[in-house]
Amino acid sequence: MGRPGLEEDALLWKLRNNRRRFQRRMQQLIEKYNHPFQDYLLVQMSTLTYQTPQDSGSSNAGAASDSGSPVALALVPAVPGSPVENEFRRKYLTQGDALLQDAGCFEDPLCPCPAVLATAPRNDSLSLLGTSSSSCVSSQNFEADDICDVTISDLYAGMLHSMSRLLSTKPSSIISTKTFIVQSWSSRRRHAHRSRARVSKVHSEGDRRSWRERPTPCSEPQQETGPLRDCKNLVHVTQHKPGLKLDKAFLAGNKTQILKLDSGWKELQMAPRQHSSLTSLDLNRVHRPDQENRLRMLNGLISPVKVVSRPRILPIQAQNRYREIEAKFNKLHQECCPNPMKRSFPDGLPGSWAVDVYRGGSGSPGSPGSLRSSETHRRRLPFSKVKVKRLSEAFENLGKRCVDIGRGPPESQPSPSLSKDSSSQSHGHSWQTSSLFQGHNSGTFRKSLSPSQISVPRIEPLCCGRNRYKEVKEKFDQLHQKYCQTSPRQAKSPAHLGMPLNEASAEVPLQTQELFGKSKRDSPFQKWSPSLQWHMRSPQGSPAAEAYPSAQSVQAAGRDPQFPAKRRRMCGHRASFQDPSEVDEVVPRRGEQGSPVQAGW
Amino acid sequence: MGPRRRSQPEAPRRGPASPPPSTPRRGASLGSPSQRRRNVWLKQVKMLQKSTDLLIRKRSFSRLGTPSSGREICMKFTRGMDFNWQAQTLLALQEAAEAYLVHLFEDAYLLSLRVGRGTLFPMDVQLARRICSIEEGLG
């Protein structure tokens, strides 16, 4: 009866034994592999601290007296940093300590001199600890808290400590450049980002990076005294200073207490600008803003922030650039275009328009400039359309007038009211309207060609098209001669006129299309170059008149109705170019056939 | 040397050996074939319990850490991150894994012996895992 029980007990006992063996084996494995990789530091997870090789030597001596105290090992910040960082830290600390020793920082009578402690033999370390432990028991509580509350300043505690002392002793020395950077940095960003700086972003690298970009809200003296005010971190620093040899003198947490008092007193003496909260040496009451300021200062000192100008000033630059471009354009315009052409742009349309075009092509470097350009474009759009309509009607009338002159019997069609309104415009506006007209032409043409390009190109610098104008003029003359040769007889009969004229006019658009195809993206003069040449001859008489009804008849291509309008316009252009008096004759005549021309628009 | 894999871990390897189910006979090489076979595996057990080297092939074990080889166990524990592994890491894991398996087989064989069997069955392993788990086990 009891046997099953015994068996079960035996089984359970065996299983328990197995478990113990397994646990022991696992513990052995953990101890076996619980060493850092190469020079890395092994951090104790319970205390988040690690033991330095110097501490390991002293801890062996003091293990008997102060065993089981995890604070003994918690003398350095828990930084599993790279060996490079450790070397740098040690190097910096040695230099800083050398400077500090020269400055006589350890001549404070109020606190036990670390030099004295450093020179004390190891045998006396226990006695020292014994004396100090009794006096500094009260501070042990918050020391443990401080150790648990590791901040980023602890990572560079040594540097922080040294630099704080250096600042107090030699304010214009080594760290001057960094403080300057910090100061300038803070002065720039202080006002703009005051509210954001209160957040502490210490523990993560990413936050640190972003935080560096932000300004510090605190005043500069506060920043300078930030590291000075913090005596918390000074605890950990002095332990691994080879110069002071404090680590040999102190062992347990009492060490930290002594150093705390030491550093606190020293700071009170050396840094008169310190915050009043430090007088109590109650580190728990260090305000969060102070810590944050200190951290910010620390970060700035450790790794000086590269001040990069933000693109806030870009609009100003864009405006300057805009002005430069405008000035250059106006200059070019003045050079290329003669005075009569100038008056066609009373409000400086082409200059600003070209600048806007430039800006639109470059991708709007500045928001105000681009906005302005868009606004001007928008303003011009309705304006130009109205002008275009009026102009088209004007040239229709002009063409009709030419036809009348050529044929004799007038052709009358009801003219829209707008044409009458536009007739009141002086020739001085003819250029303007013509330029707008041609600009609209070019704009529409370009739109058809490449919508991805500048959406509303209006007028290109006329100086660029002048050469092209001559070329096109020659071609137009050739075509005109050809046309005149083919259709001299058709002037008698309108019926017959239509057909060959149609053919001729069909040829003309084809030829003009060829011309256009050759020079698509050139100046707008090309667009209506055939018509320009055409109109060059229009004052001469019949060819233009003959071409006009033919062009009217051929309305298949959208561009054909534009030709007569263009020709008429060129009539006006030509007239204004050569004989301003003729313009008066041309412009007032409004084309009765406004619709076909307008259809083209 | 017999095959590397052993199916009858009779007693714990590195601790005080529990009494085996059958008494070993000295000079069993001259005995019957069954005795000879028994001595063979007994010797093997003793030899393996004396040794401390790793039993699983290192190359096979390292394939557990490389996702490219199809074994993505490490990816499971690293949340999908593809880490580089130090050799010491793999060794530590292999040591721990082998120690755990030995412990598991010991418990399972104890359970199989309790019911009078000398052969380890999967249900013994399952029962051992159930009994000796953290939730229900002795620990």
Side-chain angles (χ1 to χ4, degrees):
Chain A
M1 289 292 287
R3 203 174 171 184
L6 289 171
E7 286 177 359
E8 283 177 10
D9 291 340
L11 176 65
L12 290 171
W13 182 80
K14 285 177 185 175
L15 288 171
R16 215 175 283 121
N17 283 345
N18 277 345
R19 194 175 189 91
R20 271 190 236 115
R21 272 197 297 273
F22 173 68
Q23 285 172 352
R24 192 160 62 229
R25 177 63 186 151
M26 290 306 292
Q27 198 64 33
Q28 287 172 4
L29 285 173
I30 288 166
E31 288 171 5
K32 180 182 173 184
Y33 289 101
N34 197 22
H35 59 267
F37 176 68
Q38 293 176 356
D39 296 336
Y40 284 16
L41 299 165
L42 196 63
V43 180
Q44 293 183 359
M45 295 310 295
S46 59
T47 58
L48 287 178
T49 57
Y50 66 93
Q51 193 172 3
T52 58
Q54 291 135 357
D55 293 332
S56 61
S58 60
S59 63
N60 291 333
S65 64
D66 194 3
S67 62
S69 167
V71 184
L73 303 174
L75 300 173
V76 290
V79 184
S82 65
V84 178
E85 280 184 11
N86 296 335
E87 288 174 8
F88 174 75
R89 190 188 301 166
R90 289 191 204 107
K91 186 178 170 186
Y92 184 87
L93 288 171
T94 51
Q95 291 173 1
D97 292 335
L99 287 167
L100 289 168
Q101 283 177 358
D102 294 340
C105 297
F106 306 112
E107 294 177 357
D108 192 349
L110 293 174
C111 59
C113 185
V116 173
L117 294 169
T119 55
R122 281 199 186 188
N123 300 330
D124 298 339
S125 63
L126 297 173
S127 61
L128 266 171
L129 283 171
T131 53
S132 60
S133 61
S134 60
S135 60
C136 301
V137 172
S138 61
S139 58
Q140 204 169 10
N141 294 330
F142 61 84
E143 182 187 306
D145 295 335
D146 297 336
I147 288 160
C148 298
D149 185 17
V150 174
T151 60
I152 200 165
S153 59
D154 300 334
L155 302 178
Y156 302 95
M159 188 185 295
L160 178 65
H161 175 62
S162 306
M163 287 167 78
S164 63
R165 295 196 174 189
L166 283 168
L167 281 171
S168 61
T169 55
K170 297 179 184 179
S172 61
S173 66
I174 303 165
I175 321 168
S176 60
T177 55
K178 291 183 181 178
T179 52
F180 170 76
I181 288 166
V182 170
Q183 287 171 13
S184 62
W185 181 50
S186 64
S187 62
R188 275 190 207 184
R189 315 288 173 126
R190 193 193 323 166
H191 301 288
H193 302 277
R194 197 170 283 208
S195 60
R196 274 191 272 163
R198 292 291 170 185
V199 180
S200 91
K201 297 184 179 182
V202 170
H203 298 281
S204 63
E205 281 192 10
D207 290 339
R208 206 190 308 169
R209 242 178 274 116
S210 63
W211 173 76
R212 274 182 201 156
E213 293 170 358
R214 292 177 187 179
T216 58
C218 306
S219 61
E220 297 168 0
Q222 279 187 354
Q223 287 183 358
E224 288 176 0
T225 58
L228 295 176
R229 285 181 287 157
D230 178 38
C231 32
K232 181 195 296 188
N233 301 316
L234 299 174
V235 171
H236 312 290
V237 171
T238 57
Q239 295 309 312
H240 51 273
K241 282 184 188 175
L244 294 174
K245 299 182 183 178
L246 288 169
D247 52 338
K248 294 176 186 174
F250 298 98
L251 294 175
N254 297 326
K255 277 191 219 177
T256 61
Q257 296 160 13
I258 291 167
L259 288 167
K260 263 193 192 175
L261 292 171
D262 183 10
S263 57
W265 279 114
K266 284 175 193 174
E267 285 182 353
L268 283 171
Q269 287 186 358
M270 292 186 291
R273 282 184 295 175
Q274 279 181 4
H275 202 271
S276 60
S277 62
L278 286 174
T279 54
S280 62
L281 284 181
D282 189 0
L283 299 177
N284 283 331
R285 287 185 193 168
V286 174
H287 300 292
R288 282 290 166 192
D290 296 341
Q291 289 181 7
E292 289 162 8
N293 299 337
R294 172 168 49 81
L295 292 168
R296 263 178 248 111
M297 173 74 172
L298 178 64
N299 274 327
L301 291 171
I302 291 164
S303 55
V305 177
K306 190 174 182 182
V307 179
V308 179
S309 63
R310 288 202 169 169
R312 280 182 296 178
I313 55 176
L314 194 58
I316 300 169
Q317 287 178 352
Q319 284 180 5
N320 294 334
R321 182 73 183 150
Y322 164 73
R323 282 174 210 146
E324 289 172 7
I325 292 163
E326 191 178 13
K328 280 183 190 174
F329 182 82
N330 290 332
K331 191 178 171 185
L332 284 169
H333 184 62
Q334 287 172 9
E335 287 173 7
C336 296
C337 303
N339 289 332
M341 292 293 289
K342 255 192 184 177
R343 13 172 216 167
S344 64
F345 312 107
D347 54 347
L349 275 172
S352 56
W353 173 81
V355 172
D356 294 335
V357 166
Y358 168 77
R359 189 178 298 107
S362 64
S364 69
S367 56
S370 62
L371 281 171
R372 185 180 153 187
S373 67
S374 61
E375 286 169 357
T376 50
H377 279 305
R378 279 186 229 113
R379 271 188 277 114
R380 283 196 210 100
L381 270 170
F383 171 72
S384 62
K385 276 183 183 171
V386 169
K387 289 267 184 180
V388 157
K389 283 183 183 175
R390 295 178 185 174
L391 181 67
S392 62
E393 289 156 7
F395 283 119
E396 283 162 14
N397 294 331
L398 171 66
K400 285 185 182 174
R401 175 91 183 234
C402 292
V403 169
D404 295 341
I405 290 167
R407 288 191 182 178
E411 293 181 6
S412 65
Q413 280 188 10
S415 62
S417 59
L418 282 173
S419 61
K420 290 178 183 174
D421 297 332
S422 58
S423 63
S424 60
Q425 293 177 7
S426 64
H427 69 276
H429 289 284
S430 66
W431 278 114
Q432 192 174 1
T433 52
S434 64
S435 61
L436 287 170
F437 192 79
Q438 76 195 25
H440 189 75
N441 257 339
S442 64
T444 51
F445 188 74
R446 280 187 186 173
K447 274 178 191 171
S448 63
L449 285 173
S450 58
S452 63
Q453 288 177 359
I454 296 165
S455 61
V456 191
R458 292 290 171 189
I459 301 163
E460 287 185 350
L462 295 172
C463 60
C464 305
R466 186 59 79 101
N467 298 328
R468 186 64 190 164
Y469 162 74
K470 288 177 185 174
E471 294 172 14
V472 171
K473 179 186 170 183
E474 292 169 7
K475 286 181 187 172
F476 183 83
D477 290 337
Q478 292 170 6
L479 287 170
H480 184 63
Q481 285 173 5
K482 186 178 174 185
Y483 177 78
C484 289
Q485 289 170 4
T486 53
S487 64
R489 307 160 201 168
Q490 295 159 5
K492 295 175 186 176
S493 59
H496 294 285
L497 185 71
M499 295 298 293
L501 280 177
N502 283 336
E503 296 170 359
S505 63
E507 290 175 0
V508 167
L510 288 172
Q511 289 164 352
T512 55
Q513 280 176 12
E514 288 173 3
L515 282 172
F516 284 155
K518 284 177 191 174
S519 61
K520 273 185 182 178
R521 291 185 181 106
D522 290 343
S523 67
F525 283 97
Q526 307 160 11
K527 308 285 185 302
W528 39 276
S529 55
S531 59
L532 184 141
Q533 291 181 1
W534 205 282
H535 282 281
M536 300 294 286
R537 299 197 174 239
S538 61
Q540 297 174 7
S542 57
E546 293 164 0
Y548 175 70
S550 66
Q552 277 185 340
S553 61
V554 179
Q555 292 183 3
R559 217 178 292 128
D560 293 335
Q562 301 176 6
F563 283 127
K566 286 180 185 175
R567 284 181 220 123
R568 284 183 227 116
R569 184 180 51 190
M570 280 318 300
C571 245
H573 270 293
R574 176 78 175 158
S576 65
F577 261 120
Q578 297 175 356
D579 190 3
S581 61
E582 291 181 359
V583 178
D584 294 328
E585 296 172 8
V586 167
V587 171
R589 295 180 206 118
R590 294 295 164 196
E592 291 87 1
Q593 301 175 0
S595 56
V597 179
Q598 284 177 358
W601 297 102
Chain B
M1 289 287 289
R4 292 198 57 81
R5 292 177 189 173
R6 63 180 192 279
S7 59
Q8 296 176 353
E10 193 176 317
R13 215 168 54 172
R14 294 183 180 84
S18 57
S22 60
T23 55
R25 290 184 189 180
R26 312 271 172 162
S29 58
L30 300 174
S32 61
S34 61
Q35 289 175 358
R36 236 180 280 132
R37 263 182 264 120
R38 198 177 299 138
N39 290 338
V40 167
W41 62 257
L42 201 57
K43 278 182 187 175
Q44 251 186 359
V45 167
K46 285 181 182 175
M47 180 194 67
L48 288 169
Q49 283 183 351
K50 261 189 208 172
S51 67
T52 55
D53 57 344
L54 294 171
L55 301 174
I56 301 173
R57 293 287 92 189
K58 287 182 187 174
R59 184 170 180 141
S60 304
F61 197 84
S62 66
R63 273 194 256 121
L64 293 173
T66 54
S68 59
S69 64
R71 302 291 185 96
E72 300 188 354
I73 293 173
C74 72
M75 300 280 276
K76 193 177 177 183
F77 288 100
T78 58
R79 287 175 193 147
M81 288 286 292
D82 188 12
F83 286 154
N84 289 327
W85 291 69
Q86 284 184 6
Q88 291 274 311
T89 313
L90 288 171
L91 284 173
L93 284 172
Q94 192 175 351
E95 293 248 20
E98 288 189 11
Y100 174 76
L101 286 171
V102 166
H103 164 69
L104 180 66
F105 279 129
E106 284 173 358
D107 290 348
Y109 198 69
L110 283 171
L111 293 172
S112 66
L113 288 176
R114 187 178 177 278
V115 293
R117 280 188 276 108
T119 307
L120 191 74
F121 282 7
M123 62 175 148
D124 299 328
V125 176
Q126 290 157 9
L127 183 60
R129 284 188 70 201
R130 175 104 185 252
I131 291 172
C132 302
S133 64
I134 295 170
E135 295 87 18
E136 307 181 38
L138 310 169

